[in-house]
Amino acid sequence: MILEQKKKAFEFIDFHKNEMLALWEELVNTESGARDKESVDNLAVKLKNIIENIGMNTKIVEYKNAGNSIVAEFGTDRRKKGIVFSGHMDTVFKKDTAKNNPFRIENGKAYGPGVLDMKGGIVIALYAIKALNSVGYNERPIKLIISGDEETGHSNNPAGAELFINEAKGFTAAFNFETGFTDNGIIVGRKGVAQYTLEVEGVSAHAGNAPEKGRSAIEEIAHKVLDIQNLTNWEEGINFNAGTIQGGTVSNAIPDYAKVEIDVRYTKVSKKAEITKSLEEIAAKTYVEGTKTKLTVKNFMYPMETTDGVMNLFELAKNTSIEIGFGEVYPKTTGGGSDASNTVIAGVPTICAVGVKGEWNHTSREYAEVESLFERTKFVIACVMNLKDDLV
Ligand SMILES: [Zn+2]
């Protein structure tokens, strides 16, 4: 029965290839730069109409300081626990990027801003749902969560991250259609990101006339940069990086200001408080009497933890991929964040990067393999049909 259903669903995809490509083109050419709320909101309205046409109950979640998000549901009366399809519709690109780099296909590769990250993934999610519907799949409800401010790490809008945690709770599995990898890796873990600025205020003075009256902000921050770097703990999967440094005005003045920007990557959700605390302790110390230090949290993204549930879902995906002839997938971890972290926090086994496969996302060279659009849609359909409730 399932075999027959899979075959029919795959035929549905083969039959709708041109339609899928047309939607991909439309989504790529409809720009949605993360820092341009108006364009993201415009795409959200367009997508809402498309998703409603599939028969899903769809709502736009509005935000003041960030692009709006979409939540859509289907089959809420189905008896088994539901599945989450997730991702984002914003891109990192500036306005008018698509004018010079519009969607196009050359030698089996599709190009354009967001073609890989992750407008192809949205097409996959929608056509997986359409194909499942077309073959009468009615086992589990499906919920679609599409963020409009993922590329900024929800930094202006913590509610954008919480949306995933709240909406995913109680579901049995989640698939995130982020940027797929050409080597068939499936993401089972992502590092969390925490970013801070540390600013030191000193006292300026002429370096020749009255150096003893000065309090060097650079001297103070130099000590602190070393303290920060020393917090790195490879065994615990936490690394600190003082990535930029600024300070002073001219060489013959004692500098009264210095600043470092700090990026922290970590693997355990529970470490969040500890990381901030360790930096606060450094900020509170004084090496150069008379200087003052201020620490500001800029951005916080949780890690995607590799839980047992995540690995069980991965195993199912691996077996499914082999079963349907798409070769072996392997478990991959990466430093970059995604909302898969939030569905895992919700207690939902999640695999990430099941979108179209390609390279160079976030650059003008971004491309995706066209064939992977159809392959990955079939892969997800088969995973959904093979799902059991024993993942956790
Ligand atoms: Zn992305």
Side-chain angles (χ1 to χ4, degrees), residues 35-52:
R35 309 216 175 256
D36 181 5
K37 174 171 168 59
E38 202 184 316
S39 72
V40 175
D41 293 354
N42 163 47
L43 177 58
V45 171
K46 187 179 256 190
L47 266 175
K48 180 175 184 269
N49 290 330
I50 293 168
I51 297 166
E52 271 172 348

Side-chain angles (χ1 to χ4, degrees), residues 87-88 90-92 116-119 150-151 176-179 190 337-338 361-362:
H88 65 88
D90 57 324
T91 74
V92 295
L116 170 66
D117 186 6
M118 54 151 277
K119 290 182 172 173
E150 194 272 348
E151 292 293 3
N176 189 304
F177 295 93
E178 267 288 356
T179 309
R190 289 179 180 274
S338 91
N361 55 338
H362 295 197

Side-chain angles (χ1 to χ4, degrees), residues 198 200-202 214-231 278-293:
L198 186 121
V200 177
E201 206 185 294
R215 297 288 178 266
S216 171
I218 288 181
E219 188 183 339
E220 176 71 12
I221 216 161
H223 287 285
K224 287 181 168 164
V225 165
L226 295 177
D227 288 348
I228 292 163
Q229 295 293 127
N230 283 334
L231 290 173
S278 60
L279 287 172
E280 277 168 356
E281 279 167 13
I282 290 172
K285 254 195 241 174
T286 310
Y287 289 94
V288 178
E289 219 50 58
T291 59
K292 270 186 279 176
T293 302

Side-chain angles (χ1 to χ4, degrees), residues 4 22 40 63 91 138 206 221 237 243 254 257 287 324 328 336 352 382:
E4 188 56 27
V40 175
Y63 299 116
T91 74
N138 61 3
H206 192 285
I221 216 161
I254 309 296
Y257 180 78
Y287 289 94
I324 60 176
E328 201 157 318
C352 192

